[in-house]
């Protein structure tokens, strides 16, 4: 019998003969670890660390970009960090939140688009 191809979302250290995941049994596919991603045919648990600006919860086939209003400043992120008040992130897959520009407000956590200040305020 030939080993089966390792599916997405798992890694297979040894050639596997079944597709059922039994975590801890290295003869079966193992759930991809949080902070990494596992496309088809991944052979080791740390082969694909999640890149900056993306997050990878356990069992991820491909990195997921951080949404506007959040960032992943560190590699191997398990979740994106929401921008704190006074900061914003206007695009997907940001690695850092930016300071709110003069004449705009970023009052809330998770701001993606700064809001212009009301005339007469700053």
């Amino acid at each position: 019998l030939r080993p089966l191809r390792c599916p997405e979302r798992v890694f297979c250290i040894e050639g596997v003969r079944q597709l059922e995941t039994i975590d801890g049994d290295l003869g079966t596919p193992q759930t991809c670890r949080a902070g990494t991603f596992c496309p088809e045919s991944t052979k080791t648990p740390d082969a694909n660390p999640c890149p900056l600006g993306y997050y990878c919860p356990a069992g991820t086939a491909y990195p997921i970009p951080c949404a506007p209003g959040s960032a992943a400043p560190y590699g191997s992120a398990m979740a994106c960090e929401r921008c704190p008040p006074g900061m914003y992130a206007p695009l997907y897959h940001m690695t850092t939140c930016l300071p709110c520009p003069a004449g705009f407000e970023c009052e809330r956590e998770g701001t993606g688009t700064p809001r212009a200040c009301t005339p007469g305020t700053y």
Side-chain angles (χ1 to χ4, degrees), residues 84-87 100 104-109 111 115:
M87 307 286 278
C100 200
F104 290 83
E105 60 184 11
C106 303
E107 291 181 347
R108 297 192 174 129
E109 180 180 65
T111 297
R115 199 171 53 182

Side-chain angles (χ1 to χ4, degrees), residues 59-85:
T60 300
Y62 298 99
I64 303 164
C66 293
S70 64
Y74 307 105
S76 300
M78 294 176 251
C80 297
E81 299 174 8
R82 292 180 61 153
C83 295

Side-chain angles (χ1 to χ4, degrees), residues 2-76:
R2 290 181 27 185
L4 300 171
R5 182 180 295 259
C6 193
E8 293 180 338
R9 304 181 191 283
V10 296
F11 64 93
C12 304
I13 291 177
E14 303 170 4
V16 294
R17 302 206 183 284
Q18 69 176 31
L19 295 180
E20 179 185 2
T21 296
I22 303 170
D23 284 323
D25 179 351
L26 299 182
T28 68
Q30 300 297 291
T31 302
C32 192
R33 295 178 181 171
T36 66
F37 64 100
C38 297
E40 186 177 66
S41 300
T42 299
K43 295 183 180 359
T44 61
D46 299 316
N48 304 301
C50 205
L52 298 175
Y54 294 79
Y55 70 104
C56 299
T60 300
Y62 298 99
I64 303 164
C66 293
S70 64
Y74 307 105
S76 300

